[in-house]
Amino acid sequence: MKNYNIAVVPGDGIGNEIVPEGYRVLEAVAKKHNFGITSKTFDWGAGYYLKNNQFLPDDGLETLKEFDAVYFGSVGLPAVDDTLPAKDYTFKVRTSFNQYVNYRPVRTYPGVIRPLRTEKHIDFVIVRENTEGEFVQMGGQYLPDEANGMGLDTSVFTRKGIERVAHYAFKLARKRRNKVTHITKSNTLINSLAYWDRIIKEVAKEYPDVQHEQMYIDNSTAMFVLKPEIFDVVLTTNLFGDILSDLGGAVMGSLGLGGSGNINPEKEFPSMFEPIHGSAPDIAGKNIANPYGQIWSAAIMLEHLGEKEAADNIMEAIDKSTASGVLTVDLGGDAKTSDVADAVIKNL
């Protein structure tokens, strides 16, 4: 029997509620599909930072390397400078483990009211370049308190970085509906994103069976709302992907519905799976947080590990649960966090 060793990092806020519920689903589906799940939980995050002045210990990355995957909740607390969690935890893990693909799917949930005028079925994946682009944090501030002070951030787009995420997107499209839409703003960012466009178009020629189109970010945000059904695989930059995936969560009906994976496709390092939302400390401890995105992240993790039947089983159980009215407060229902996990387990 196969066994997967998972590093569990609930993080902060509602992460400490939704991660344990998601893990209960993992245990149940593993038992049904005859594979093992073992884990170790780490208390890293902003809470750890308040006690230790770092988000994870010095040997934290070496510790995580020993696991097959990382099941993560969220990071951040009001008492901690908001510029630190990404730099000192999220980006640190993503870049150190070469998780250059951020996989963020968007879909229709049965029984969930969406804030759109269309009732057409939605099913697309945002493939966000995850280690370069606008989030490399190269730059600085010069005389910030002076009248002539300035701040500077530099985006970095390399041929290697663009090629590898583009190949991932086109290969993914071949498994779906054979369409890639790459998002750009090269009509104004005439150096960095013109280069982004050029490399993607070169890669596209290697996939003549996949329909490829280019779309500007401003147009794509409108189309996410007006015609979301036209998308299949959306290939985008680090910054644009961060924004568009939240919009994707909104068109589904709630950010609490969105799952994601920070993926190292070559499996040289563990990948990290998390919901798209934040730590929501204002509702933490009330058992009302929406765990569907966290549970969906578990399904994405299992598919990455090679357990597609189990992953599909979770998604079917999620759909049965939402269709039967097991909806949390953000979805207009009264189900508790634990109620959702109970329902999904029952419906496996």
Side-chain angles (χ1 to χ4, degrees):
M1 184 173 73
K2 287 184 179 179
N3 186 81
Y4 302 100
N5 193 19
I6 308 300
V8 178
V9 186
D12 305 301
I14 60 171
N16 291 288
E17 296 165 75
I18 60 176
V19 169
E21 299 300 337
Y23 191 78
R24 282 207 294 132
V25 175
L26 269 175
E27 289 181 312
V29 81
K31 183 176 180 181
K32 179 181 177 183
H33 289 268
N34 197 35
F35 61 88
I37 292 283
T38 55
S39 70
K40 185 173 181 179
T41 299
F42 301 93
D43 64 345
W44 302 338
Y48 185 90
Y49 172 82
L50 290 173
K51 299 174 184 176
N52 302 282
N53 203 36
Q54 54 185 353
F55 283 79
L56 69 170
D58 293 337
D59 63 350
L61 293 175
E62 287 300 315
T63 299
L64 291 179
K65 280 183 183 179
E66 303 304 314
F67 291 86
D68 296 308
V70 181
Y71 192 47
F72 176 53
S74 54
V75 62
L77 289 173
V80 176
D81 182 348
D82 204 33
T83 65
L84 298 178
K87 177 175 71 72
D88 291 338
Y89 179 80
T90 312
F91 292 172
K92 196 170 187 177
V93 174
R94 290 173 181 174
T95 55
S96 297
F97 290 166
N98 211 12
Q99 297 168 349
Y100 60 85
V101 170
N102 191 227
Y103 178 99
R104 294 194 169 190
V106 178
R107 68 193 286 272
T108 304
Y109 276 80
V112 174
I113 297 174
R114 290 177 280 148
L116 298 177
R117 64 189 184 190
T118 178
E119 290 300 319
K120 292 181 179 178
H121 182 66
I122 302 171
D123 179 14
F124 62 89
V125 177
I126 298 169
V127 173
R128 165 189 172 190
E129 198 291 314
N130 208 32
T131 59
E132 295 189 349
E134 307 90 343
F135 285 179
V136 295
Q137 298 187 330
M138 289 178 58
Q141 297 180 5
Y142 174 70
L143 301 175
D145 298 322
E146 304 298 324
N148 62 335
M150 62 178 291
L152 182 69
D153 278 297
T154 301
S155 298
V156 174
F157 293 87
T158 68
R159 173 175 285 276
K160 178 181 178 179
I162 302 168
E163 284 181 343
R164 63 188 184 180
V165 76
H167 279 293
Y168 182 93
F170 280 91
K171 289 175 182 176
L172 177 62
R174 280 179 167 171
K175 299 176 183 178
R176 293 176 50 86
R177 301 192 306 278
N178 282 296
K179 181 181 178 183
V180 171
T181 304
H182 97 252
I183 307 301
T184 188
K185 192 58 180 170
S186 52
N187 56 336
T188 53
L189 297 173
I190 61 173
N191 294 306
S192 59
L193 292 190
Y195 190 62
W196 164 263
D197 294 348
R198 171 188 163 187
I199 304 305
I200 292 174
K201 289 174 183 177
E202 290 177 7
V203 172
K205 292 178 182 178
E206 300 182 39
Y207 301 86
D209 53 316
V210 177
Q211 179 186 351
H212 168 243
E213 66 178 4
Q214 173 181 308
M215 187 178 292
Y216 290 130
I217 181 63
D218 37 357
N219 184 31
S220 68
T221 54
M223 290 301 100
F224 264 42
V225 174
L226 298 174
K227 295 182 179 180
E229 70 277 3
I230 70 173
F231 296 104
D232 179 21
V233 175
V234 176
L235 172 59
T236 183
T237 73
N238 214 332
L239 174 62
F240 292 165
D242 194 22
I243 297 168
L244 286 177
S245 55
D246 271 19
L247 180 55
V251 301
M252 285 191 284
S254 170
L255 293 187
L257 294 171
S260 76
N262 302 280
I263 296 174
N264 171 243
E266 295 78 18
K267 298 185 179 180
E268 297 169 334
F269 301 96
S271 295
M272 180 169 67
F273 302 85
E274 61 179 310
I276 67 171
H277 56 71
S279 58
D282 57 320
I283 62 169
K286 299 180 180 180
N287 197 27
I288 61 173
N290 184 346
Y292 279 119
Q294 187 76 58
I295 296 170
W296 191 1
S297 300
I300 297 169
M301 179 172 69
L302 289 180
E303 184 167 1
H304 175 72
L305 292 173
E307 298 292 343
K308 189 174 187 310
E309 287 187 9
D312 291 344
N313 193 184
I314 290 178
M315 299 312 297
E316 292 164 2
I318 286 175
D319 284 351
K320 289 178 182 177
S321 301
T322 58
S324 65
V326 183
L327 305 175
T328 44
V329 173
D330 60 314
L331 301 175
D334 58 4
K336 301 297 185 183
T337 307
S338 52
D339 294 336
V340 171
D342 289 340
V344 173
I345 291 169
K346 179 181 177 181
N347 288 322
L348 284 172

